[in-house]
Amino acid sequence: TWLPTDTLEVDLFVSYINANYDEWMDPLATNPQDRDKSHYHFGVPEVSGGVTVRYTLPLPGSIGTVSLQGNVYAQSERELADENGPGGRQSGYSVLGARVDWRDVMGSRLRLSLWGRNLNDTEYYTGGVNTANTIGYYMAYPGEPRTWGIDATYDF
């Protein structure tokens, strides 16, 4: 987190993971054998990261606090399930989000928010199951599509 001014906040994160299996036996195979460990991974992206920028508008306190926020998340290619299955890899992607928060609306305990997720409408998958070699199917779980909403919160 970096606070260059009283009204600007920047949050950054980067993750690097270089993980793999030392040994992986496939119990569903007709002839179970150790798979080549260099090709099978934990199903996480090697690199992922994001940035969020939040700016608080300099308004009189009686109006409340209004902040504008934008964020991006990105990740590298990753394995969803057994990479030998159809569609078993998710290519790298990024998603954009935005949010406007109005806290203490006109001196009240009301908070109003307008937000959007995956504003670039990226199609991606969060995981998968490969049963192509056993029952003939591969399933992948889609990520959240473009969504938006309005929240109203009142603190008692």
Side-chain angles (χ1 to χ4, degrees), residues 89-133:
R89 296 194 74 75
Q90 168 64 59
S91 59
Y93 68 90
S94 62
V95 291
L96 304 173
R99 183 177 189 94
V100 177
D101 280 316
W102 186 8
R103 296 176 180 269
D104 305 322
V105 175
M106 304 306 287
S108 71
R109 295 179 181 177
L110 178 64
R111 180 177 67 216
L112 300 173
S113 302
L114 172 64
W115 52 266
R117 296 185 191 121
N118 192 5
L119 295 175
N120 51 333
D121 206 20
T122 298
E123 293 183 11
Y124 64 98
Y125 295 94
T126 60
V129 176
N130 182 10
T131 59
N133 294 332

Side-chain angles (χ1 to χ4, degrees), residues 36-101:
D36 179 356
K37 63 185 174 185
S38 66
H39 292 95
Y40 295 92
H41 303 283
F42 286 94
V44 295
E46 185 175 26
V47 179
S48 63
V51 61
T52 299
V53 177
R54 183 177 304 107
Y55 178 70
T56 303
L57 299 174
L59 300 173
S62 61
I63 293 175
T65 305
V66 176
S67 61
L68 310 173
Q69 175 179 304
N71 63 293
V72 62
Y73 168 80
Q75 72 173 44
S76 62
E77 179 182 63
R78 71 184 273 265
E79 183 179 320
L80 294 174
D82 182 343
E83 67 184 36
N84 292 322
R89 296 194 74 75
Q90 168 64 59
S91 59
Y93 68 90
S94 62
V95 291
L96 304 173
R99 183 177 189 94
V100 177
D101 280 316

